[in-house]
């Protein structure tokens, strides 16, 4: 900001206050955290734990490409990349409005607690809210939930996944959503 137009090149008291408020408000907007999305997944197989980027998992899910870090981790875990790819591409139909209502019910909260045993926030707090958000967001665009979309839409920068139990819980998700789909709004 130039001082041109101000008498003697200095700001008066009210102008300094106004400038200060403008800077304070601008700094608030610049420091408000944007909506986070998962960038890293900590995969756990038995006692083995490794961090993998969501981008690497997306490349595996969509194109079958296995990055070097993901390949190394899967070799150590003695897991086939195609098995993980199948899990990432599992899908179930879901009406987002019905899903939101269902997940806010007693049964839905129980389901989210169970799912929270498999997919967790880094500090294992507020799992239900994070999962509810990821599930509903995943269903909003195309009335379906894909495991890979849940990972991409998870509202924390990192999430932890117990991969040994992931398929079991996803089957539970399919069954639960199947029962809910028979209900009407």
């Amino acid at each position: 900001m130039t001082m041109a137009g101000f008498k003697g090149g200095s700001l008066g008291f009210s102008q300094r206050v106004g400038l200060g408020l403008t800077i304070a408000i601008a700094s608030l907007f610049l420091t408000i955290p944007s909506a986070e999305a998962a960038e890293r997944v900590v995969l756990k197989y038995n006692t083995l734990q490794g961090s993998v980027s969501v981008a690497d998992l997306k490349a595996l899910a969509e194109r079958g490409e296995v990055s070097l870090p993901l390949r190394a981790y899967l070799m150590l875990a003695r897991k086939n990349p195609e098995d993980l790819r199948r899990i990432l591409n599992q899908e179930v139909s879901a009406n987002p409005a019905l899903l939101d209502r269902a997940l806010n019910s007693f049964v839905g909260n129980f389901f989210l607690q169970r799912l929270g045993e498999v997919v967790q926030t880094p500090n294992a707090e507020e799992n239900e809210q994070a999962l509810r958000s990821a599930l509903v967001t995943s269903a909003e665009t195309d009335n379906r939930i894909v495991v890979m979309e849940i990972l991409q839409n998870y509202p924390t920068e990192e999430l932890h996944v117990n991969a040994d139990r992931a398929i079991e819980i996803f089957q539970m998700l399919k069954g639960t959503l199947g029962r809910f789909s028979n209900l009407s709004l």
Side-chain angles (χ1 to χ4, degrees):
M1 175 178 232
T2 66
M3 299 294 167
F6 293 107
K7 191 173 186 178
S10 64
L11 297 174
F13 176 75
S14 63
Q15 292 166 329
R16 285 192 309 260
V17 170
L19 179 60
L21 285 173
T22 302
I23 291 170
I25 292 169
S27 68
L28 279 175
F29 284 110
L30 294 174
T31 58
I32 292 173
S34 60
E36 290 186 48
E39 293 179 18
R40 307 229 33 97
V41 176
V42 176
L43 286 174
K44 300 174 189 175
Y45 281 108
N46 296 319
T47 58
L48 185 64
Q49 177 175 308
S51 179
V52 179
S53 77
V54 171
D56 284 352
L57 292 173
K58 184 177 180 182
L60 173 63
E62 291 180 353
R63 300 180 301 279
E65 295 173 5
V66 185
S67 69
L68 193 56
L70 181 57
R71 182 177 309 282
Y73 174 75
L74 292 173
M75 284 178 58
L76 286 171
R78 295 186 176 149
K79 299 296 178 182
N80 182 341
E82 277 305 310
D83 293 339
L84 179 56
R85 184 177 188 197
R86 272 192 294 282
I87 292 170
L88 293 172
N89 288 311
Q90 288 281 317
E91 70 176 69
V92 62
S93 297
N95 175 306
L98 181 59
L99 178 64
D100 186 49
R101 282 188 60 193
L103 292 175
N104 282 295
S105 70
F106 176 77
V107 173
N109 282 322
F110 175 75
F111 166 75
L112 289 170
Q113 288 172 354
R114 291 285 313 273
L115 186 57
E117 296 170 12
V118 175
V119 179
Q120 299 179 343
T121 60
N123 58 7
E125 294 178 7
E126 300 181 5
N127 287 334
E128 290 85 11
Q129 296 89 335
L131 286 165
R132 184 181 297 111
S133 173
L135 289 164
V136 172
T137 301
S138 297
E140 284 177 338
T141 57
D142 55 8
N143 290 329
R144 67 187 179 112
I145 297 170
V146 180
V147 171
M148 187 66 232
E149 289 178 349
I150 297 169
L151 301 179
Q152 291 174 294
N153 292 320
Y154 204 79
T156 61
E157 193 173 301
E158 178 181 280
L159 68 141
H160 294 233
V161 176
N162 180 336
D164 290 320
R165 295 201 49 218
I167 197 69
E168 163 198 342
I169 296 298
F170 192 77
Q171 294 304 325
M172 184 180 85
L173 171 67
K174 284 175 105 170
T176 301
L177 289 177
R179 285 190 290 279
F180 284 134
S181 67
N182 295 326
L183 304 174
S184 62
L185 293 174

